[in-house]
Amino acid sequence: MEQTLWGHLPLLVRSNSKESVEYILQTLWRTRKTGLDAADRHIIRDILQLQHDSELDPLLVCLRTLIRRCVYENIGKDEIQKLFPNEVLPELQRLLTLLLQKFQKEWHEEVFKDQVVLPRLKAMTWDMANQESAEVADPVAVINLKLQNDAKTQPGDLDVKFQLAKDTLETMLRSMYCIRDQLSNMEETSNRHLSQ
């Protein structure tokens, strides 16, 4: 984080209590997808006794960055205090560390709930059939997939069935081979880095 951002943290000292700072952090988390509305901005400016948004915005950027790092970068509870450089007042470090530790697990769980869970392949079978068209009966591959849906909203198995003609199947297989090769190259690269 840029050093200039840290210089705005002392504005938090203007708040009257730990609860006020807690309110600010909770509000920033609650509005992480939408941004602060005018009412929230006004309340936070009042808490911090600020006159203009131009004074508030750099502090909000700093706090949002801290929140993101705590929640999304898997920083352990004991490591939160290490995020702050020595220039940040020790009492602010303690207060923010305490509050970020308090909410870290809850916020992390909320992020996990928001993530999209894609179904995973459980089984695949295929069969050959003739595609009945007006002129020619071309053979097609009939693919049957059984997918495991782990989403909390509709868990369970999903059956998907589709047909592929020879030219479509060839295109798909070429793409799959490219994906396989790219995954192999990535694995080789990461193994080389690990062995060094």
Side-chain angles (χ1 to χ4, degrees):
M1 196 177 320
E2 290 183 28
Q3 292 296 341
T4 56
L5 282 179
W6 293 112
H8 299 283
L9 281 179
L11 290 174
L12 290 173
V13 176
R14 294 177 171 202
S15 68
N16 296 330
S17 64
K18 171 188 161 199
E19 289 75 20
S20 299
V21 176
E22 184 174 321
Y23 173 84
I24 294 169
L25 292 176
Q26 286 279 59
T27 302
L28 289 173
W29 177 256
R30 178 178 45 81
T31 61
R32 69 190 177 280
K33 295 177 185 175
T34 60
L36 291 173
D37 62 20
D40 287 327
R41 294 179 80 75
H42 182 74
I43 292 169
I44 293 173
R45 265 199 334 264
D46 283 351
I47 288 172
L48 298 174
Q49 304 163 30
L50 299 173
Q51 298 299 314
H52 306 286
D53 280 346
S54 61
E55 298 171 285
L56 178 63
D57 288 336
L59 172 65
L60 298 179
V61 169
C62 184
L63 292 174
R64 282 194 190 275
T65 303
L66 275 172
I67 290 170
R68 265 195 300 274
R69 289 188 68 191
C70 285
V71 175
Y72 295 102
E73 292 182 16
N74 288 328
I75 292 175
K77 277 187 162 191
D78 300 333
E79 298 171 343
I80 292 174
Q81 194 156 9
K82 295 176 186 174
L83 293 174
F84 301 101
N86 293 334
E87 300 86 58
V88 177
L89 300 170
E91 57 270 14
L92 274 177
Q93 285 186 35
R94 281 191 293 279
L95 175 62
L96 288 170
T97 299
L98 179 75
L99 292 173
L100 291 169
Q101 286 175 337
K102 178 179 178 179
F103 296 115
Q104 186 181 29
K105 183 180 178 190
E106 175 188 333
W107 291 345
H108 190 72
E109 287 171 3
E110 285 181 39
V111 167
F112 186 72
K113 286 178 194 172
D114 290 346
Q115 289 178 340
V116 175
V117 179
L118 298 175
R120 55 190 165 86
L121 181 63
K122 197 171 177 182
M124 181 179 119
T125 58
W126 62 275
D127 214 351
M128 295 302 295
N130 284 328
Q131 182 179 18
E132 299 295 327
S133 68
E135 301 163 7
V136 184
D138 290 331
V140 293
V142 179
I143 312 292
N144 297 295
L145 302 176
K146 186 173 275 301
L147 303 173
Q148 173 66 44
N149 188 3
D150 294 327
K152 293 183 179 182
T153 54
Q154 292 180 323
D157 288 349
L158 221 64
D159 291 316
V160 177
K161 184 176 184 175
F162 57 95
Q163 296 180 357
L164 294 173
K166 183 180 176 189
D167 57 340
T168 308
L169 184 60
E170 287 174 353
T171 302
M172 188 178 93
L173 287 173
R174 274 195 301 274
S175 296
M176 297 294 264
Y177 282 124
C178 287
I179 292 169
R180 182 201 62 188
D181 293 344
Q182 286 178 359
L183 288 172
S184 294
N185 289 340
M186 289 174 64
E187 189 175 290
E188 289 172 13
T189 303
S190 72
N191 285 341
R192 254 187 267 126
H193 287 298
L194 288 175
S195 64
Q196 291 175 353

